[in-house]
Amino acid sequence: MIINYKLINTTFITQMNNTFLIIVFLILSGGVYAQENKLPSEERLMQINDSIVKEGEQLYLSEIMSWRLTDLFFSRQHSIEEIGGSLVCSLNDSVCSALFANKELGKCIFEYRVNVELGTEEIIDSVRPLTDKEREQLLDKTIKMGIAVNQYGDSINVIPAEEGNLNWNLLHIDGCDRLYALQGVTKSGVIPFGNDYSFDFNETNEIVKFRRHHKSFLPLPVTTDKGEPALEVVHSHLRDNPFITATDICNFLLYGMPAGVEFFSVLSTYFNCYFKFSFSENKITVREL
């Protein structure tokens, strides 16, 4: 599925002519390590980075669909008490659907659809039965969330609710179901990096891999101290997280892109280099130190 960011929501893109740079390092254990590791071959590195971008796009699409669904739902005078669950799914190669189900998880009470290639959208404010596939996917997500919290709840950092909530997204990646938990924020003018997790499930709903993608949480401002737009934001990864993550890509597209930030970079202390993502070029480049 090819995602056209500008057509999905043109309000998420602003022009920016300034060249200011905000640099914030999230290094918890000192400076950059003197010892460095050799980067993969150019071909292999391109494969790794391309797969990260692709997964970040999928995660972004799931998140932005949920955001749009929620905004539309409450703008039409609905209440949170009506909602029993939510689901984002692909109807075909170009159309994505986001819906709210009732408390009994038997009916769709509100639906938002978008054609990610054309940028057209459809709002369905009416009640209908859930399809068997929708109900199955909705129950599956609910069950996986419960398993993740039950097994790894002690490893999840809980941010005060008034500062933001964890947002849950279920993707099918590399032959397995991957459940993401991303930290949302209520404060405007920042890009939240960190407090993000993923859980890989096998066919019997066992967690086969748990990842904590960042060791800390820091919302980075999208403007300088003078209030001018930042061209780029930078944070660092410790040695156990050598590459840009799909969660980095997703949060940059959600929060940085609409603010006019052109790029973000990650200082890899493992490879002693910078990985830089540009949403206009839709790719990751590397600059060795």
Side-chain angles (χ1 to χ4, degrees):
M1 180 180 288
I2 300 173
I3 302 174
N4 187 324
Y5 304 122
K6 293 185 178 181
L7 288 177
I8 290 177
N9 192 339
T10 56
T11 62
F12 269 45
I13 299 175
T14 59
Q15 298 299 319
M16 195 246 310
N17 298 315
N18 217 321
T19 57
F20 286 91
L21 172 68
I22 293 177
I23 302 180
V24 180
F25 295 118
L26 302 182
I27 302 176
L28 302 183
S29 56
V32 178
Y33 287 86
Q35 178 185 357
E36 60 182 90
N37 295 275
K38 186 177 180 180
L39 284 163
S41 68
E42 184 176 349
E43 180 181 1
R44 177 59 183 148
L45 187 58
M46 182 178 295
Q47 292 174 344
I48 292 171
N49 285 335
D50 287 349
S51 68
I52 292 170
V53 171
K54 181 179 179 181
E55 189 167 339
E57 288 177 336
Q58 290 181 257
L59 191 54
Y60 164 75
L61 180 59
S62 179
E63 273 284 282
I64 197 66
M65 289 292 294
S66 296
W67 283 19
R68 184 69 171 144
L69 173 73
T70 303
D71 289 345
L72 289 168
F73 183 78
F74 289 115
S75 72
R76 299 193 172 211
Q77 310 306 313
H78 289 284
S79 67
I80 194 170
E81 287 76 19
E82 300 175 55
I83 302 172
S86 65
L87 176 68
V88 177
C89 60
S90 296
L91 301 182
N92 53 48
D93 289 341
S94 58
V95 179
C96 190
S97 166
L99 63 84
F100 283 131
N102 65 352
K103 293 290 188 180
E104 295 74 26
L105 303 183
K107 294 182 179 181
C108 169
I109 59 174
F110 193 88
E111 185 176 9
Y112 171 64
R113 295 182 180 183
V114 63
N115 186 309
V116 297
E117 294 181 352
L118 302 178
T120 57
E121 63 181 10
E122 181 181 6
I123 302 164
I124 306 171
D125 189 0
S126 58
V127 178
R128 64 166 175 83
L130 289 172
T131 66
D132 290 341
K133 184 177 180 180
E134 288 170 340
R135 180 172 171 78
E136 178 182 342
Q137 291 177 321
L138 186 57
L139 290 173
D140 184 49
K141 177 186 174 183
T142 303
I143 291 170
K144 284 180 167 63
M145 287 172 58
I147 294 172
V149 171
N150 183 56
Q151 293 188 21
Y152 290 96
D154 292 341
S155 300
I156 297 175
N157 182 29
V158 179
I159 304 295
E162 60 270 17
E163 297 179 19
N165 298 309
L166 280 178
N167 299 322
W168 297 85
N169 300 269
L170 182 59
L171 306 179
H172 189 68
I173 303 290
D174 298 331
C176 75
D177 287 333
R178 182 166 297 162
L179 180 67
Y180 273 101
L182 298 179
Q183 183 63 53
V185 290
T186 56
K187 182 180 179 180
S188 61
V190 297
I191 307 173
F193 290 107
N195 202 36
D196 43 358
Y197 313 87
S198 64
F199 312 81
D200 288 358
F201 288 82
N202 63 15
E203 294 180 353
T204 57
N205 263 350
E206 296 172 311
I207 297 177
V208 294
K209 190 164 188 178
F210 166 71
R211 302 175 189 84
R212 182 171 183 165
H213 294 280
H214 295 80
K215 297 296 185 183
S216 63
F217 174 66
L218 186 64
L220 303 188
V222 297
T223 58
T224 67
D225 292 339
K226 296 180 180 179
E228 298 167 314
L231 174 65
E232 182 177 6
V233 294
V234 182
H235 70 280
S236 69
H237 285 179
L238 298 181
R239 292 172 64 82
D240 61 353
N241 190 16
F243 297 98
I244 282 178
T245 65
T247 56
D248 287 333
I249 300 284
C250 174
N251 281 332
F252 175 76
L253 293 175
L254 287 170
Y255 298 92
M257 183 172 62
V261 183
E262 287 285 330
F263 317 98
F264 83 89
S265 292
V266 166
L267 170 62
S268 172
T269 58
Y270 183 84
F271 289 120
N272 198 26
C273 72
Y274 283 99
F275 291 105
K276 181 175 183 177
F277 175 75
S278 164
F279 88 83
S280 60
E281 297 180 1
N282 197 36
K283 69 177 183 179
I284 297 170
T285 55
V286 183
R287 179 170 65 88
E288 297 188 62
L289 298 178

